[in-house]
Amino acid sequence: MKIAHFSRWGFLMAAAGAAVGLGNIWKFPYVAGQYGGGAFVLVYLLTVVFVGFSVMIAEMLIGYLGRRDGVGAFEHLAPRHKNKWKYAGFMALFGTLVMFYYSVVIGWIFHYILMSFGTLPASVPEAEAIYDQFIKHDIWEQILFHTMAFLITTTVLVRGIKGGIEKFNLVLMPTLILIIIGMLIYAMNMESFAKAVEYMFVPDWTKLTSEAFAVAVGHAFFTLSLGMGSIMIYSASLPKESNLVRASLFVITTDTLIALAAGLFLFTFLFQYGAQPAKGPGLVFISLPTVFHAMGNVGNVLAVLFFMALAFAGLTSAVSLVEPMVQYLIDRWNMSRFKAAVSMGLFFYFFGIIAILSQIESTSALFSCGGKTFFDWMDYLTSAVLLPFAGLLMAVFVGFIMEKERVASVLKTQMGWFYPIWRFNIRFVAPVALVFVMLNLMGIIEF
Ligand code: TRP
């Protein structure tokens, strides 16, 4: 197998780049807002610590020991029934489906970066009108920006692990972190900061429905990039003798801190200017621009920086969503990296256009069914079904199927006293949590 190696920092930044994405800065604040703040955040944090951390180590382990594409890794590590476990590897290739809508949202962000240089909308109705016009009517503009997202992602993937993914992340991630820290410091000097802290950290239990609970657990997996092979394929390129536990800790800490920081400064800005926190997906595209408008010229600078950070976060994750398929085509179908990256690029590019058309007023009916647009279906299918299911298979594989000694030989010394806890988490806590998420989000159980 011809797998390139990351440098130590290269891996950490790439894995953190995979994790930190639209999920942290766009999705987390709006779902936290929709489900009432504090209690949601607490469930999310507990899941990250008690389940996400353990599953991330497991996913890294499969990649690290497998040293090849996801399907091959399962096949290689399964002690028996290799032919069946290979399908668990296939499950972990579906990340590209997330890209069907992810790339479109990155396109929206490009549009908002440009908009931030000019006049921002002064009121919510005005901002809503601009957003609606763009999403529901501007086909060509959306396709243009989606094309940009496709071109950047595919170029990075064509250049490979070292020259592409590693380099890209080593530049974008530190810049992103600096912008987020800067925004947070700016927000800390505002009066409403205390209110934002209260909103995010004081739980209101009455808001914690079973759906909120499932969404919080599901989001913890999504934001950590678990279950879809991103972390696994990067780990196949880990330098030898890497400490998986420390690497996982780094990734989950970075991911969580960035989500919390983003939530804190966004809510501070919103409260300071009297905007609503529970705005749904339009939070950063509708409420936030009006806040930046109210800030005057400083607002334009902040808006440009904010949407740039969001684009960086999105692009580094986008690359990680497609790389598992690219490596699969290279390993299994003997494709050159160029061919593999370009064909996968065109694949998500095409379905991205369908996702765009499914939201355009005049074509929406053609690309919708069961009351959901294609765009919403992809979001739903990936986060409610594919991601928890593939995550579940990984947990079961590492917890019950792989030879115990093989797992222990890598992790026992790296973990010490935590090892039995980790094993319990991976065998029991993670599967129960993931089955719960699936059943709840599919509408099968509720309480
Ligand atoms: N974690 C990224 C985000 O928060 C998205 C992402 C990248 C992802 N790779 C993934 C989600 C793999 C699930 C699985 O936006």
Side-chain angles (χ1 to χ4, degrees), residues 78-338:
R80 60 198 100 76
H81 306 305
K82 292 181 188 292
N83 258 334
K84 295 211 177 93
W85 276 105
K86 144 177 128 186
Y87 292 104
F90 278 117
M91 287 300 302
L93 292 181
F94 281 112
T96 324
L97 266 72
V98 178
M99 263 311 265
F100 292 175
Y101 70 92
Y102 210 84
S103 167
V104 175
V105 181
I106 298 177
W108 299 352
I109 298 165
F110 289 154
H111 168 83
Y112 274 78
I113 296 180
L114 290 185
M115 199 172 103
S116 305
F117 283 99
T119 323
L120 289 160
S123 66
V124 170
E126 196 187 321
E128 235 154 23
I130 293 176
Y131 179 77
D132 272 4
Q133 165 67 23
F134 184 59
I135 308 295
K136 295 194 184 143
H137 301 280
D138 288 346
I139 304 186
W140 296 111
E141 216 185 323
Q142 278 193 80
I143 292 186
L144 173 75
F145 289 115
H146 168 59
T147 309
M148 278 171 59
F150 149 75
L151 286 176
I152 298 173
T153 310
T154 307
T155 309
V156 175
L157 285 165
V158 163
R159 300 173 69 103
I161 293 280
K162 283 298 263 186
I165 299 175
E166 174 165 322
K167 267 203 189 135
F168 193 58
N169 278 288
L170 280 174
V171 176
L172 261 50
M173 283 310 287
T175 318
L176 160 74
I177 292 171
L178 280 179
I179 296 179
I180 299 285
I181 295 177
M183 292 264 175
L184 184 65
I185 294 175
Y186 190 80
M188 277 169 147
N189 290 314
M190 288 181 163
E191 230 173 274
S192 299
F193 185 71
K195 213 170 142 195
V197 173
E198 189 187 313
Y199 184 73
M200 273 189 45
F201 295 107
V202 179
D204 173 357
W205 298 113
T206 58
K207 298 225 168 101
L208 198 63
T209 56
S210 67
E211 185 187 324
F213 200 89
V215 172
V217 177
H219 181 72
F221 275 82
F222 182 87
T223 187
L224 295 176
S225 294
L226 295 174
M228 293 267 144
S230 292
I231 295 295
M232 200 154 92
I233 201 62
Y234 283 2
S235 306
S237 294
L238 263 168
K240 293 237 161 58
E241 310 294 319
S242 293
N243 188 317
L244 306 188
V245 181
R246 249 187 266 156
S248 301
L249 201 59
F250 176 84
V251 176
I252 71 161
T253 311
T254 313
D255 188 77
T256 309
L257 289 180
I258 290 191
L260 292 179
L264 281 173
F265 73 68
L266 275 171
F267 289 128
T268 307
F269 292 170
L270 294 173
F271 290 143
Q272 189 80 13
Y273 291 90
Q276 282 302 316
K279 258 269 159 238
L283 185 73
V284 307
F285 297 116
I286 296 170
S287 312
L288 198 62
T290 64
V291 167
F292 286 134
H293 174 94
M295 290 175 174
N297 287 340
V298 184
N300 284 80
V301 178
L302 289 178
V304 172
L305 287 174
F306 172 80
F307 286 113
M308 257 173 54
L310 193 52
F312 288 1
L315 286 167
T316 51
S317 296
V319 166
S320 83
L321 281 162
V322 190
E323 173 63 11
M325 262 316 282
V326 172
Q327 191 62 45
Y328 171 77
L329 293 179
I330 295 175
D331 275 3
R332 294 287 177 130
W333 294 23
N334 272 324
M335 274 194 194
S336 66
R337 179 166 269 278
F338 181 81

